């Protein structure tokens, strides 16, 4: 019986909606950053050697890697028709073999014997020697594989490659163009613009000092722009470091990089642009603000690489990152963040960090530790206690502030300042309770800015404070 023509699939960007080499790199950065960086420097000009070393340091789980739906369908149809399905890629042969074995493809296609060299002409010769000229169909997405399509029979091209399709068709190859690619709006989702609302915290020093001059607000708005770019850069890095953990999460598995909607390389380029933007605007606002931006990015990177996996340290780091935004607002506007203000906001943010973890644990389906985190369901009680301590600490500092020289200078009626503590206390307790019951967003700051009841409580607290400071009278005449 005549042997059926095999279907050969390129791995990176064709069978997979990701790149195995980059998957290994980011997985390695998350698990063993120093080893990964050392291997990258040592094998910078040897891609094959780098892939092998990175796969040895931190191999990704092949069962979690996102597949191209079109190629997965064609591979399944080929298998059902009795055709061999061959994976030919430039990544580590052991990983390609594991991938082929997981999906039940023939061993000869796994690359375990190194039969399919990594790049165009060499790969074309190897496949032609193995299966014969015009003895296989080939699917790929890279123009570098033009020599392979010339040796193949049927050409399956992913993405818009009309010129190459016309060239192959003129050479007598049956050609099928398969729509593929990614969308800018998915990359936009990876930037998490809804998280930029957190940067309104930069306005807090100006608000506390009652400095509403246009020039001050303009400088702070520039600071918010810089922090938004820095935050989006870190969100991208965090998502790339968390690829495996996100794929195991019930909702985070839909993030653009985890599900393969946006290539890892595109994310890396966007992250670099955002980092340059943040540092450029930071430098324009002066050395003090630039130093705060650098501190924020360095601490955020440390959090993404290691600190978020450390029990309690992660919550303290989250609180510090929020507090740094307050310091940044003072640096941008030319004011200062008083010691009591920072001592007040830190326990508030510790409370919200506990709320974030309690929400995740309340929604967890098993008693196992959260992927990439140091908490399990048994820690909810401890987190609740810590959140309670944060609430009490914040309220005590708030009342202590009312006796400070700054409060005496800014607020005319001290008892109204004390009255503001009541809705603030209700808001904090409500946030803790909703988090404990899992009735919040995974990010408490974002939830707080969308929660009408909570915003009403904040409005009441600010109203008491503004009236005590005489601002209502100054603005509205009463």
């Amino acid at each position: 019986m005549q042997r059926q023509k095999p279907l050969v699939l390129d791995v990176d960007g064709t069978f997979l909606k990701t790149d195995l080499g980059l998957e290994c790199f980011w997985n390695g950065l998350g698990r063993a950053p120093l080893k990964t960086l050392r291997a990258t420097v040592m094998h910078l000009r040897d891609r094959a050697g780098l892939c092998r070393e990175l796969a040895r340091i931190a191999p990704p789980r092949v069962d979690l890697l996102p597949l191209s739906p079109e190629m997965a369908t064609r591979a399944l149809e080929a298998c059902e028709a009795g055709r061999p399905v061959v994976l030919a890629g430039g990544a580590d042969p052991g990983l390609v073999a594991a991938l082929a074995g997981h999906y039940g493809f023939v061993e000869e296609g796994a690359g375990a014997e190194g039969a399919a060299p990594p790049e165009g002409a060499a790969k074309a010769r190897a496949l032609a020697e193995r299966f014969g000229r015009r003895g296989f169909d080939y699917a790929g997405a890279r123009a570098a594989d033009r020599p392979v399509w010339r040796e193949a029979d049927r050409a399956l091209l992913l993405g818009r490659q009309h010129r190459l399709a016309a060239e192959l068709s003129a050479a007598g190859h049956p050609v099928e163009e398969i729509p593929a690619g990614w969308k800018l709006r998915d990359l936009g989702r990876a930037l998490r613009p809804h998280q930029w609302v957190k940067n309104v915290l930069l306005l807090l020093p100006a608000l506390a000092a009652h400095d509403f001059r246009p020039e001050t607000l303009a400088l702070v708005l520039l600071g918010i722009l810089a922090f938004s770019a820095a935050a989006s850069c870190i969100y991208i890095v965090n998502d790339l470091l968390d690829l495996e953990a996100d794929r195991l999460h019930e909702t985070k598995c839909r993030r653009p990089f985890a599900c393969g909607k946006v290539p890892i390389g595109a994310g890396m380029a966007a992250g670099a642009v955002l980092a340059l933007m943040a540092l450029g605007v930071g430098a324009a606002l002066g050395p003090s603000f630039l130093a705060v931006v650098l501190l924020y990015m360095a601490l955020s990177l440390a959090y993404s690489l290691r600190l978020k996996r450390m029990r309690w340290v992660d919550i303290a780091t989250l609180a510090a990152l929020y507090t740094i935004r307050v310091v940044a607002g003072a640096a941008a506007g030319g004011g200062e963040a008083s010691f009591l203000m920072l001592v007040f906001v830190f326990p508030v943010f510790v409370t919200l960090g506990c709320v974030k973890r309690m929400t995740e644990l309340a929604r967890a389906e098993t008693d196992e530790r959260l992927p990439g985190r140091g908490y399990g369901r048994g820690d909810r009680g401890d987190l609740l206690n810590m959140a309670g301590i944060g609430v009490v600490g914040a309220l005590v500092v708030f009342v202590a502030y009312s006796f400070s020289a700054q409060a005496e200078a800014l607020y005319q009626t001290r008892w109204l300042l004390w009255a503001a503590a009541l809705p603030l206390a209700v808001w904090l307790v409500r946030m803790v309770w909703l988090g404990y019951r899992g009735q919040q967003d995974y990010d408490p700051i974002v939830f707080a800015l969308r929660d009408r009841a909570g915003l009403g409580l904040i409005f009441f607290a600010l109203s008491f404070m503004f009236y005590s400071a005489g601002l209502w009278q100054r603005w509205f005449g009463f």
Side-chain angles (χ1 to χ4, degrees), residues 95-296:
L95 276 181
V96 180
L99 187 65
H102 177 73
Y103 289 101
F105 298 155
V106 293
E107 286 187 18
E108 63 180 354
E113 300 173 5
E119 297 300 334
K123 183 194 293 186
R125 286 194 300 271
L127 290 172
E129 290 173 2
R130 188 166 199 164
F131 303 113
R133 196 165 191 274
R134 296 283 183 119
F136 61 96
D137 297 337
Y138 184 74
R142 300 180 299 167
D145 280 339
R146 181 183 277 103
V148 184
W149 277 304
R150 289 174 180 161
E151 297 293 334
D153 182 19
R154 182 180 177 84
L156 288 80
L157 281 67
L158 266 72
R160 298 179 180 179
Q161 304 188 61
H162 304 312
R163 183 178 299 178
L164 178 57
E167 175 188 322
L168 293 171
S169 183
H173 298 273
V175 176
E176 180 182 359
E177 292 186 79
I178 302 170
W182 57 279
K183 299 176 181 177
L184 279 175
R185 71 165 174 259
D186 290 322
L187 178 59
R189 282 178 49 220
L191 304 187
R192 300 186 210 174
H194 63 282
Q195 299 278 11
W196 295 345
V197 295
K198 295 178 183 178
N199 296 321
V200 299
L201 293 170
L202 274 78
L203 291 168
L204 190 57
L207 183 67
H210 304 163
D211 183 0
F212 302 107
R213 293 173 299 169
E215 57 268 29
T216 299
L217 296 179
L219 291 172
V220 175
L221 288 175
L222 278 176
I224 289 175
L225 174 64
F227 257 72
S228 297
S232 289
C233 169
I234 297 301
Y235 288 139
I236 289 176
V237 171
N238 186 68
D239 284 356
L240 294 177
L241 290 169
D242 271 356
L243 288 171
E244 192 168 292
D246 285 351
R247 288 165 185 159
L248 291 168
H249 196 276
E250 61 173 333
T251 58
K252 295 179 181 180
C253 61
R254 294 191 287 271
R255 285 180 173 175
F257 302 118
C259 69
K261 284 190 174 180
V262 179
I264 292 176
M268 293 169 67
V273 170
L274 288 165
L276 290 174
M277 179 179 173
L279 296 176
V281 176
L285 287 173
S288 297
F289 183 82
L290 178 60
V292 178
V293 172
L294 287 169
L295 174 62
Y296 170 80

Side-chain angles (χ1 to χ4, degrees), residues 327 433 456 464:
V327 177
W433 179 243
F464 284 128

Side-chain angles (χ1 to χ4, degrees), residues 146-475:
R146 181 183 277 103
V148 184
W149 277 304
R150 289 174 180 161
E151 297 293 334
D153 182 19
R154 182 180 177 84
L156 288 80
L157 281 67
L158 266 72
R160 298 179 180 179
Q161 304 188 61
H162 304 312
R163 183 178 299 178
L164 178 57
E167 175 188 322
L168 293 171
S169 183
H173 298 273
V175 176
E176 180 182 359
E177 292 186 79
I178 302 170
W182 57 279
K183 299 176 181 177
L184 279 175
R185 71 165 174 259
D186 290 322
L187 178 59
R189 282 178 49 220
L191 304 187
R192 300 186 210 174
H194 63 282
Q195 299 278 11
W196 295 345
V197 295
K198 295 178 183 178
N199 296 321
V200 299
L201 293 170
L202 274 78
L203 291 168
L204 190 57
L207 183 67
H210 304 163
D211 183 0
F212 302 107
R213 293 173 299 169
E215 57 268 29
T216 299
L217 296 179
L219 291 172
V220 175
L221 288 175
L222 278 176
I224 289 175
L225 174 64
F227 257 72
S228 297
S232 289
C233 169
I234 297 301
Y235 288 139
I236 289 176
V237 171
N238 186 68
D239 284 356
L240 294 177
L241 290 169
D242 271 356
L243 288 171
E244 192 168 292
D246 285 351
R247 288 165 185 159
L248 291 168
H249 196 276
E250 61 173 333
T251 58
K252 295 179 181 180
C253 61
R254 294 191 287 271
R255 285 180 173 175
F257 302 118
C259 69
K261 284 190 174 180
V262 179
I264 292 176
M268 293 169 67
V273 170
L274 288 165
L276 290 174
M277 179 179 173
L279 296 176
V281 176
L285 287 173
S288 297
F289 183 82
L290 178 60
V292 178
V293 172
L294 287 169
L295 174 62
Y296 170 80
M297 295 181 73
L299 186 58
S300 296
L301 185 58
Y303 176 79
S304 296
L305 286 171
R306 178 65 179 169
L307 300 182
K308 66 184 177 183
R309 296 174 177 82
M310 300 173 66
R311 196 166 178 262
W312 302 116
V313 173
D314 71 320
I315 290 176
T317 306
L318 283 174
L321 289 171
Y322 287 129
T323 305
I324 285 173
R325 287 175 166 91
V326 178
V327 177
E336 65 177 55
S338 69
F339 174 76
L340 279 175
M341 179 194 295
L342 298 180
V343 173
F344 164 69
V345 298
F346 187 79
V348 170
F349 295 138
V350 166
T351 299
L352 296 181
C354 292
V355 168
K356 179 182 177 70
R357 293 292 172 253
M358 285 191 294
T359 300
E360 293 173 339
L361 292 173
R363 296 186 178 187
E365 296 180 352
T366 68
D367 291 333
E368 296 180 1
R369 294 192 175 217
L370 296 172
R373 301 294 186 269
Y375 303 91
R377 279 183 177 177
D379 295 312
R380 288 177 71 206
D382 290 340
L383 287 165
L384 181 62
N385 291 335
M386 180 59 71
I389 293 172
V391 171
V392 173
L395 294 174
V396 168
V397 175
F398 185 84
V399 173
Y401 169 75
S402 69
F403 292 97
S404 69
Q406 184 185 53
E408 186 175 350
L410 293 175
Y411 297 96
Q412 303 167 7
T413 312
R414 187 168 294 175
W415 72 266
L416 284 174
L417 198 58
W418 298 337
L422 181 60
L424 179 62
V426 174
W427 177 75
L428 285 169
V429 171
R430 183 173 182 274
M431 290 287 288
V432 172
W433 179 243
L434 291 176
Y436 186 77
R437 298 183 63 183
Q439 295 178 345
Q440 273 210 36
D441 188 277
Y442 282 109
D443 192 308
I445 297 293
V446 174
F447 173 82
L449 293 170
R450 294 174 179 173
D451 176 34
R452 293 182 180 181
L455 288 173
L457 291 167
I458 295 295
F459 174 77
F460 276 119
L462 290 176
S463 296
F464 284 128
M465 295 176 69
F466 286 169
Y467 196 85
S468 174
L471 294 178
W472 280 159
Q473 298 91 320
R474 189 190 312 169
W475 294 341

